[in-house]
Amino acid sequence: MKQIIEQKTAEEARNRQFFITSEIIIAFSSSHFRVSGSTVTRIDSEGWAGCFTKTVSKGIHRLSIKTEALYAMIGVCATAEHPGYLMKGTYTSPKAAMMFNCDGNLYSVSKRPFKNNPVKKWEEWSAEADLEKRTLHFFINGEQQPHHFINIPVPLVFAIDAHYKDISIEITFWGEETRSHVTFEGTGHNLGG
């Protein structure tokens, strides 16, 4: 594992760290998260907080995770927005699209009117972004969920939000895909709409 601290301001250098594990790059606040191998663990309990992959701007990308916790979210956030949401939860961003595992609710501008299936403990749960089509689909154990987002931001980072101390999230896949896993149209919801 290699650690890189981005040199911008003294405050950013203190609050943001980047770890590289295989092809996974995660930006996070070290006061909220610990990264070990492919596992991200929430180490405090001050509300929602986010961590992020590196920026992507084209192609089809997927992030897959597993957790026993019922208070986690997965999705995407506009690249320019994500530094401000490291310590207050990505789902509060007007340019983020997230799914909550506890009840399957989709979050867009803190609204959650659309619901996929809840994610059970240790099920593999995925977000797939097609940056050409600007869509974000969700999957549970490889099964496409009925609701997705359209008009997602580009470029973007993938995001994981966690609540409560000692939540551990295992990243099982992150990277570019050669083809989409989407098999049916489903219902698309405009990000922010």
Side-chain angles (χ1 to χ4, degrees):
M1 180 163 37
K2 181 179 178 183
Q3 180 180 4
I4 303 169
I5 299 177
E6 187 177 71
Q7 301 297 321
K8 283 192 176 177
T9 67
E11 182 178 343
E12 284 180 43
R14 283 193 303 273
N15 291 334
R16 299 177 65 202
Q17 295 181 1
F18 293 82
F19 282 76
I20 300 174
T21 305
S22 183
E23 294 182 348
I24 302 167
I25 302 179
I26 299 175
F28 68 99
S29 168
S30 58
S31 62
H32 287 291
F33 291 97
R34 178 180 66 249
V35 175
S36 177
S38 61
T39 300
V40 180
T41 304
R42 182 72 191 269
I43 58 175
D44 73 345
S45 55
E46 298 176 10
W48 288 96
C51 54
F52 306 92
T53 67
K54 70 177 181 180
T55 299
V56 292
S57 57
K58 61 182 180 177
I60 299 169
H61 295 263
R62 178 170 53 94
L63 174 66
S64 300
I65 63 174
K66 289 183 179 181
T67 183
E68 66 177 347
L70 292 178
Y71 297 96
M73 293 191 213
I74 189 174
V76 299
C77 183
T79 300
E81 293 279 305
H82 86 274
Y85 295 94
L86 282 168
M87 298 194 288
K88 62 182 177 178
T90 312
Y91 77 99
T92 63
S93 166
K95 295 182 181 177
M98 307 290 288
M99 179 178 155
F100 188 28
N101 65 340
C102 179
D103 54 17
N105 280 339
L106 300 189
Y107 280 77
S108 171
V109 196
S110 299
K111 297 175 185 175
R112 53 186 193 280
F114 313 112
K115 193 176 235 182
N116 285 325
N117 294 312
V119 183
K120 296 181 179 134
K121 291 182 178 183
W122 296 118
E123 286 188 314
E124 187 174 60
W125 172 31
S126 302
E128 178 187 289
D130 185 323
L131 282 81
E132 273 69 46
K133 293 181 179 177
R134 296 185 61 198
T135 58
L136 178 69
H137 287 83
F138 298 95
F139 301 81
I140 300 172
N141 289 335
E143 183 179 333
Q144 182 182 332
Q145 298 300 293
H147 295 278
H148 64 278
F149 286 109
I150 60 175
N151 297 322
I152 61 172
V154 177
L156 59 80
V157 291
F158 280 81
I160 299 169
D161 275 11
H163 200 289
Y164 297 128
K165 187 175 181 179
D166 299 326
I167 287 180
S168 289
I169 297 167
E170 178 189 352
I171 299 170
T172 57
F173 180 85
W174 184 79
E176 187 168 6
E177 298 280 26
T178 56
R179 63 173 184 82
S180 173
H181 291 81
V182 174
T183 58
F184 62 92
E185 187 173 335
T187 305
H189 304 283
N190 193 39
L191 178 58

